[in-house]
Amino acid sequence: MTTQEHVGTERAELLADADKRTLIHPHSVIGAPAEPLVLDRGEGAVVWDVNGRSYIDGTCGLWQCPVGHGRDELAAAAAEQMGRLEFYSSFGDYSNEPSIRLAERLLELAPPNMRRVFLTNGGSEGNETAIKLARLAHHHAGNPERFVILAREGGYHGMGGGSLAATGIDRLRAGFGPLMPGIEFLAKPHSVRGADVTDRLVGELEERIAEIGPERIAAFIGEPVLGVGGMVPPPEDYWPRVQDVLRRHGILLILDEVVTAFGRIGHWFGSARYGIEPDLIVTAKGLTSGYIPMGAVLAGERVLDLADGAAFLHGFTYNGHPVGSAVALANIGILEREGLLERAETLGAQLLAALKPLERLDHVLEVRGVGMMLGVELTGPDAATAAAGVQAGARADGVIVRASGTTIVLSPPLVIDEGRLDTLARVLTEHVTAA
Ligand code: PMP
């Protein structure tokens, strides 16, 4: 008998059992499978497990689903496209209508210097693409020595060869042998409780550029707001000042907007929030609200001018997927129609205000956020264990939050209602207070 033939508790137990016997989960311990939370369905800001228990989704999984769970419109867009043309490669001269329309739409929404779009399957692939394109652009323009990538401690860019090498989180880098060379790290851009750190960070950037030699540096990569590294918004003047320095030295700016785009911080792209025009923007997650894996790299005029005429021998089988593109277009339509970008600002400010009093606790370093991207960072020798405890405790009370290191990460769907937002804040406050 298979698990499908059982119902109720028996089905739940068999599924959990089969999970532990058969799957390797991302970010799990080999040979020591965790007790799985087997999810079954979702609607709006709520998901249900196979036992029928409901949970308020305080994280959108890993920052996807701005439009919430269970949107029939997105399922219909996927089904319609699958029925017409499920997939065909986009290599070389092959194309499809949804990808063309999506590229047009993204360029309408992006900063004005953006010119072209490369469609991917997700964020890591997007960052691999952007890093390679930045390096190729300088190589093609006659500067093959110009390959160094500046990255930041606390930055997260993915799990591929280049994207992991550019990730400044030690626990994620260990054990895999030598990573891609040519990456140089700068300090984490964190101003605890509003301390003025921009001068120090920009000064460090200038010094490192002088040490390495600007003629060797291809690009700087960073997230507008650190995500996995702890939901850390930079000081307001950080990005414009970094952009000025990079431009002066001909260094391209790759902005990793895998989390920050599509309303998460109240704008189509976080670049607009911080008033900058990067040379490459990498995005994913909110692009399709996670209904299907999809990402995009947007390329600006400077990088395209440098790379003009270069053979870009790069691409993954499923790039330019017509079904992903159709879902992305429908998802963008919902974000616009329902005013979810504005909603992110309003609800994010409410949630931040509700959690701010936690800063009075000695074991809370900071409560911070921008839009619907918030973090509660704990402090003390056992902070990471305490954060994991908060995650477990809240879940037992029907609220999903996520511990990332010492920070409890919040990024609810932008459609969450105020009642559930209050419950989320209340349950989190209880567990952080008791941590
Ligand atoms: N960049 C950022 C900022 C991310 O948060 C993530 C995923 N959490 C990635 C890149 C990698 O994206 P993916 O997991 O889709 O490869």
Side-chain angles (χ1 to χ4, degrees):
M1 216 194 237
T2 68
T3 47
Q4 283 162 3
E5 290 161 64
H6 295 266
V7 289
T9 324
E10 198 185 358
R11 170 174 165 246
E13 280 168 13
L14 285 169
L15 282 171
D17 228 44
D19 175 291
K20 288 187 279 184
R21 269 187 289 110
T22 56
L23 283 169
I24 299 176
H25 285 256
H27 290 255
S28 68
V29 179
I30 306 269
E35 195 57 39
L37 172 64
V38 186
L39 294 172
D40 189 41
R41 68 189 176 91
E43 199 183 313
V46 180
V47 289
W48 283 263
D49 68 16
V50 283
N51 286 309
R53 271 205 76 192
S54 69
Y55 303 84
I56 294 176
D57 183 2
T59 66
C60 273
L62 297 169
W63 295 283
Q64 306 89 331
C65 79
V67 303
H69 300 281
R71 306 291 300 232
D72 292 340
E73 193 177 331
L74 299 190
E80 194 188 319
Q81 184 56 43
M82 275 191 200
R84 177 181 287 272
L85 176 69
E86 80 293 346
F87 176 70
Y88 210 87
S89 152
S90 292
F91 277 37
D93 59 352
Y94 291 96
S95 196
N96 61 75
E97 182 169 348
S99 294
I100 297 167
R101 294 208 183 287
L102 177 60
E104 283 185 320
R105 192 78 185 95
L106 290 174
L107 293 174
E108 281 166 15
L109 302 174
N113 64 319
M114 288 296 151
R115 292 286 176 273
R116 286 180 182 275
V117 179
F118 183 96
L119 297 170
T120 72
N121 296 295
S124 301
E125 223 185 80
N127 284 317
E128 301 296 329
T129 302
I131 290 170
K132 284 175 75 177
L133 188 52
R135 285 181 164 186
L136 181 72
H138 290 297
H139 186 279
H140 183 71
N143 296 306
E145 305 301 315
R146 195 156 195 162
F147 58 77
V148 171
I149 305 290
L150 299 177
R152 298 158 329 149
E153 297 295 342
Y156 182 92
H157 302 294
M159 298 277 98
S163 51
L164 177 58
T167 290
I169 301 175
D170 288 345
R171 67 179 190 277
L172 302 177
R173 300 166 58 93
F176 300 112
L179 302 176
M180 188 182 86
I183 311 277
E184 297 285 340
F185 283 96
L186 303 163
K188 183 172 180 168
H190 188 180
S191 84
V192 180
R193 299 202 186 191
D196 188 359
V197 293
T198 313
D199 284 346
R200 172 173 64 75
L201 295 168
V202 173
E204 185 209 19
L205 174 64
E206 304 248 34
E207 274 166 33
R208 294 302 299 283
I209 292 174
E211 268 165 38
I212 299 163
E215 70 289 348
R216 293 188 52 230
I217 306 174
F220 175 110
I221 186 168
E223 303 150 82
V225 179
L226 293 178
V228 177
M231 311 294 266
V232 185
E236 289 296 332
D237 56 347
Y238 172 81
W239 279 116
R241 289 184 59 188
V242 166
Q243 176 175 263
D244 281 353
V245 174
L246 299 178
R247 287 208 176 148
R248 236 185 307 120
H249 293 291
I251 299 168
L252 298 169
L253 171 57
I254 303 172
L255 206 65
D256 180 346
E257 296 228 34
V258 168
V259 170
T260 48
F262 304 104
R264 180 57 51 202
I265 61 172
H267 295 261
W268 288 110
F269 290 93
S271 323
R273 166 71 181 71
Y274 290 105
I276 53 170
E277 291 189 356
D279 298 294
L280 289 153
I281 294 179
V282 178
T283 189
K285 299 194 193 268
L287 172 62
T288 53
S289 277
Y291 279 64
I292 198 154
M294 181 111 194
V297 180
L298 280 66
E301 52 199 1
R302 284 203 310 153
V303 68
L304 292 172
D305 284 350
L306 289 169
D308 194 35
F312 190 36
L313 301 183
H314 169 88
F316 300 83
T317 297
Y318 296 107
N319 290 158
H321 204 293
V323 178
S325 299
V327 173
L329 281 165
N331 176 62
I332 290 169
I334 296 176
L335 286 166
E336 191 168 44
R337 198 173 67 229
E338 297 185 0
L340 296 179
L341 274 51
E342 297 75 24
R343 197 173 162 80
E345 302 244 36
T346 319
L347 293 189
Q350 275 178 34
L351 187 55
L352 188 61
L355 296 172
K356 243 342 186 186
L358 286 171
E359 280 189 347
R360 287 200 292 263
L361 299 170
D362 286 343
H363 63 286
V364 174
L365 178 70
E366 191 178 38
V367 177
R368 55 184 174 246
V370 52
M372 282 284 252
M373 204 177 160
L374 294 92
V376 178
E377 180 161 5
L378 305 185
T379 182
D382 299 324
T385 314
V390 170
Q391 171 178 316
R395 192 201 278 182
D397 284 344
V399 169
I400 296 179
V401 296
R402 203 163 74 82
S404 186
T406 54
T407 301
I408 297 138
V409 165
L410 296 169
S411 57
L414 308 183
V415 294
I416 191 169
D417 60 73
E418 299 201 8
R420 290 197 174 91
L421 201 71
D422 287 349
T423 308
L424 168 62
R426 180 178 48 76
V427 170
L428 188 58
T429 297
E430 280 166 22
H431 286 280
V432 169
T433 305

